[in-house]
């Protein structure tokens, strides 16, 4: 049998990343990274203000998070940077104990994330239902839009036509060409107009001073004692959980948009590594950012790690080398980009009248609760947890009604067979005891569980209670048809749960 040798050059191309093999991919990734970098600057400064730190701290965090996660993360093309959720968690620590404790908490949060990732916390994402995911996406779009509202309030009148012009460019420019991302074109044109015409509007420079040098590594300025650990641990754990939840949910969203799979475990560990690196470089930490990720993936079409790496790299280059130019970018241009992102992110199909008429009421309730909780608290993790718990409660109530008990008495009247159908767990088994005729049944009772499954101790306790009530009347009970796992659980717990009913 003959084999065809693969030329060394072809083998080398197969090992190269996509952006090295295809110039079009390379161009898309580079331009996407540039657009994301420009969009990161004002938000990083805003999140620094929320955390109560110097603007450069948020910019350093966005730089180190993006560059590090592009290498160690599990979801290609997803952007990680300084975020509002993390800023809200660590702001009280910085206010009460100082910046050194904040940095120490960021490093410890990274350690927690690595541990949580290693033990498989990412697998919990499978328990997040689609209705929560839709609510999460819609709430993110609303939050991103709400973050832009202050930039539209009490500003010069020229801001509004600039924003409208920016939106129009992003809608119509792709009809002309998609070689250059429309958001980048919009930013460049609006900046040229405002600078050339001398239009006085809020700019990026008004948000704060940009850094003039790269971050320098160092240890947090705190005493290395048990007391310090006790102070920072609660904040670090909260930051780790919030960061992981936002990052994993965003990764799942990008999976759906790009129709590709990602390693959630690697992403969890990667977030930890990125926060540790960020902490040692004096940053405020962060996690995945939905707005800039949508710019990168959905608006600009990026698909590789290169765009994430360049987003962080361009951010620092723009600040250090081109600070005066970046400072002249009108905020109206960046707000227009974020408004377009909101429109593209929101799942409009989920709120269409036709969809709402077809959807079960429980699904709609879960989606609405998720959105309300996220918007009311400004915390994505709260909305996801509350929405998931609500979905579980609704599911438990629905499944509980599927457990049925039917009775069939033998022709001679000497035996009755009860057939139980469905899942037996705490919600359905609570009503099980009342489904039998203890006084009227004959002396021999058979409970057929061949069409049922015992899931928990509550079900075993309910069956024990049924047997006890029949025994009190001198009647015998035989339980038949148990599958292997149900028989094992029943055998281990039956008779050991006295007092449960």
């Amino acid at each position: 049998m003959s084999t065809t040798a693969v030329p060394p050059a072809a083998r080398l191309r197969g090992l190269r990343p996509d952006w090295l093999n295809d110039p079009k991919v390379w161009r898309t990734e580079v331009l996407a990274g540039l657009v994301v970098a420009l969009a990161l600057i004002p938000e990083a400064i805003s999140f620094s203000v929320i955390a109560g730190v110097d603007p450069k701290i948020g910019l350093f965090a966005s730089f180190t998070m993006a560059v590090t996660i592009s290498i160690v993360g599990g979801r290609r093309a997803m952007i990680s940077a300084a975020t509002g959720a993390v800023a809200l968690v660590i702001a009280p620590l910085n206010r009460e104990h100082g910046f050194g404790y904040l940095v120490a908490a960021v490093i410890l949060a990274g350690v927690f994330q690595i541990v949580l990732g290693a033990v498989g916390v990412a697998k919990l994402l499978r328990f997040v239902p689609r209705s929560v995911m839709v609510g999460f996406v819609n709430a993110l779009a609303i939050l991103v839009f709400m973050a832009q509202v202050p930039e539209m309030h009490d500003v010069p009148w020229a801001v509004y036509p600039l924003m409208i012009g920016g939106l129009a460019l992003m809608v119509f420019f792709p009809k002309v060409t998609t070689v250059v991302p429309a958001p980048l074109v919009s930013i460049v044109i609006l900046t040229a107009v405002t600078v050339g015409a001398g239009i006085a509007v809020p700019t990026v420079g008004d948000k704060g001073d940009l850094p003039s040098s790269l971050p320098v590594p160092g240890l947090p300025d705190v005493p290395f004692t048990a007391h310090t650990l006790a102070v920072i641990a609660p904040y670090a754990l909260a930051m780790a959980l919030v960061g992981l939840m936002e990052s994993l949910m965003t990764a799942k969203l990008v999976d759906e948009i790009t129709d590709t799979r990602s390693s959630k475990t690697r992403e969890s560990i990667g977030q930890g590594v990125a926060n540790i690196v960020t902490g040692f470089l004096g940053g405020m930490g962060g996690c995945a950012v939905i707005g800039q990720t949508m710019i990168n993936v959905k608006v600009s079409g990026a698909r590789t790690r290169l765009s994430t790496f360049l987003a962080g790299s361009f951010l620092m280059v723009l600040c250090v080398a081109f600070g005066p130019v970046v400072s002249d970018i009108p905020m109206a241009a960046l707000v227009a980009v974020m408004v377009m992102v909101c429109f593209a992110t929101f799942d409009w199909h989920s709120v269409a009248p036709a969809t709402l008429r077809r959807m079960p009421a429980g699904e709609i309730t879960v989606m609405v609760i998720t959105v309300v909780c996220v918007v009311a608290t400004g915390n994505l993790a709260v909305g996801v947890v509350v929405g998931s718990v609500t979905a579980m409660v609704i599911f438990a109530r629905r499944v509980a009604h599927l457990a049925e008990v039917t009775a069939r008495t033998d022709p001679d009247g000497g035996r009755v067979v009860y057939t139980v159908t469905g899942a037996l767990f705490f919600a359905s088994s609570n009503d099980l005891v009342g489904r039998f005729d203890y006084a009227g049944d004959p002396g021999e009772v058979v409970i057929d569980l061949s069409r049922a499954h015992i899931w928990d101790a509550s079900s075993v306790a309910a069956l024990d209670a049924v047997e006890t009530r029949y025994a009190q009347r001198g009647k015998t009970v035989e339980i038949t048809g148990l599958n292997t796992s149900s028989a094992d659980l029943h055998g281990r717990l039956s008779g050991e749960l006295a007092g449960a009913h």
Side-chain angles (χ1 to χ4, degrees), residues 60 213-219 279-282:
F60 286 160
S213 62
L214 295 175
V216 178
L219 295 175
F280 281 119
L281 287 171

mmCIF file of all heavy atoms in Angstrom, residues 60 213-219 279-282:
data_model
loop_
_atom_site.group_PDB
_atom_site.id
_atom_site.type_symbol
_atom_site.label_atom_id
_atom_site.label_comp_id
_atom_site.label_asym_id
_atom_site.label_seq_id
_atom_site.Cartn_x
_atom_site.Cartn_y
_atom_site.Cartn_z
ATOM 1 N N PHE A 60 -4.192 49.338 33.507
ATOM 2 C CA PHE A 60 -3.201 48.267 33.679
ATOM 3 C C PHE A 60 -3.894 46.904 33.774
ATOM 4 O O PHE A 60 -3.440 45.915 33.180
ATOM 5 C CB PHE A 60 -2.368 48.498 34.942
ATOM 6 C CG PHE A 60 -1.354 49.602 34.814
ATOM 7 C CD1 PHE A 60 -0.820 50.221 35.946
ATOM 8 C CD2 PHE A 60 -0.922 50.025 33.568
ATOM 9 C CE1 PHE A 60 0.120 51.238 35.834
ATOM 10 C CE2 PHE A 60 0.019 51.050 33.443
ATOM 11 C CZ PHE A 60 0.536 51.657 34.582
ATOM 12 N N SER A 213 3.640 55.004 31.167
ATOM 13 C CA SER A 213 4.649 53.946 31.217
ATOM 14 C C SER A 213 3.963 52.613 31.488
ATOM 15 O O SER A 213 2.781 52.563 31.864
ATOM 16 C CB SER A 213 5.687 54.233 32.309
ATOM 17 O OG SER A 213 5.056 54.268 33.585
ATOM 18 N N LEU A 214 4.705 51.544 31.291
ATOM 19 C CA LEU A 214 4.167 50.204 31.519
ATOM 20 C C LEU A 214 4.100 49.907 33.022
ATOM 21 O O LEU A 214 4.855 50.492 33.811
ATOM 22 C CB LEU A 214 5.043 49.162 30.825
ATOM 23 C CG LEU A 214 5.079 49.222 29.290
ATOM 24 C CD1 LEU A 214 6.093 48.216 28.760
ATOM 25 C CD2 LEU A 214 3.705 48.949 28.712
ATOM 26 N N PRO A 215 3.216 48.982 33.448
ATOM 27 C CA PRO A 215 3.150 48.623 34.867
ATOM 28 C C PRO A 215 4.418 47.924 35.321
ATOM 29 O O PRO A 215 5.085 47.227 34.545
ATOM 30 C CB PRO A 215 1.944 47.683 34.931
ATOM 31 C CG PRO A 215 1.788 47.136 33.553
ATOM 32 C CD PRO A 215 2.218 48.247 32.635
ATOM 33 N N VAL A 216 4.756 48.098 36.580
ATOM 34 C CA VAL A 216 5.966 47.514 37.157
ATOM 35 C C VAL A 216 5.573 46.434 38.163
ATOM 36 O O VAL A 216 4.721 46.664 39.022
ATOM 37 C CB VAL A 216 6.812 48.591 37.870
ATOM 38 C CG1 VAL A 216 8.048 47.974 38.510
ATOM 39 C CG2 VAL A 216 7.192 49.688 36.888
ATOM 40 N N PRO A 217 6.140 45.228 38.066
ATOM 41 C CA PRO A 217 5.773 44.165 39.011
ATOM 42 C C PRO A 217 6.236 44.472 40.429
ATOM 43 O O PRO A 217 7.235 45.170 40.641
ATOM 44 C CB PRO A 217 6.489 42.928 38.450
ATOM 45 C CG PRO A 217 7.608 43.469 37.621
ATOM 46 C CD PRO A 217 7.122 44.775 37.073
ATOM 47 N N GLY A 218 5.498 43.947 41.401
ATOM 48 C CA GLY A 218 5.856 44.155 42.801
ATOM 49 C C GLY A 218 4.896 43.407 43.711
ATOM 50 O O GLY A 218 3.857 42.895 43.270
ATOM 51 N N LEU A 219 5.235 43.321 44.985
ATOM 52 C CA LEU A 219 4.384 42.663 45.978
ATOM 53 C C LEU A 219 3.417 43.679 46.584
ATOM 54 O O LEU A 219 3.727 44.874 46.661
ATOM 55 C CB LEU A 219 5.245 42.049 47.081
ATOM 56 C CG LEU A 219 6.178 40.907 46.664
ATOM 57 C CD1 LEU A 219 7.054 40.495 47.848
ATOM 58 C CD2 LEU A 219 5.375 39.717 46.147
ATOM 59 N N GLY A 279 -2.563 41.188 39.623
ATOM 60 C CA GLY A 279 -2.310 41.640 40.986
ATOM 61 C C GLY A 279 -0.844 41.978 41.212
ATOM 62 O O GLY A 279 -0.520 43.029 41.796
ATOM 63 N N PHE A 280 0.040 41.124 40.742
ATOM 64 C CA PHE A 280 1.476 41.389 40.936
ATOM 65 C C PHE A 280 1.969 42.571 40.097
ATOM 66 O O PHE A 280 3.050 43.110 40.357
ATOM 67 C CB PHE A 280 2.294 40.139 40.612
ATOM 68 C CG PHE A 280 2.301 39.122 41.723
ATOM 69 C CD1 PHE A 280 1.799 37.847 41.520
ATOM 70 C CD2 PHE A 280 2.798 39.437 42.981
ATOM 71 C CE1 PHE A 280 1.796 36.910 42.542
ATOM 72 C CE2 PHE A 280 2.800 38.508 44.006
ATOM 73 C CZ PHE A 280 2.297 37.235 43.793
ATOM 74 N N LEU A 281 1.175 42.964 39.085
ATOM 75 C CA LEU A 281 1.537 44.140 38.289
ATOM 76 C C LEU A 281 0.745 45.372 38.716
ATOM 77 O O LEU A 281 0.719 46.381 38.004
ATOM 78 C CB LEU A 281 1.312 43.849 36.800
ATOM 79 C CG LEU A 281 2.341 42.904 36.164
ATOM 80 C CD1 LEU A 281 1.920 42.498 34.767
ATOM 81 C CD2 LEU A 281 3.720 43.565 36.133
ATOM 82 N N GLY A 282 0.075 45.279 39.879
ATOM 83 C CA GLY A 282 -0.594 46.443 40.443
ATOM 84 C C GLY A 282 -1.927 46.785 39.830
ATOM 85 O O GLY A 282 -2.374 47.935 39.920
#
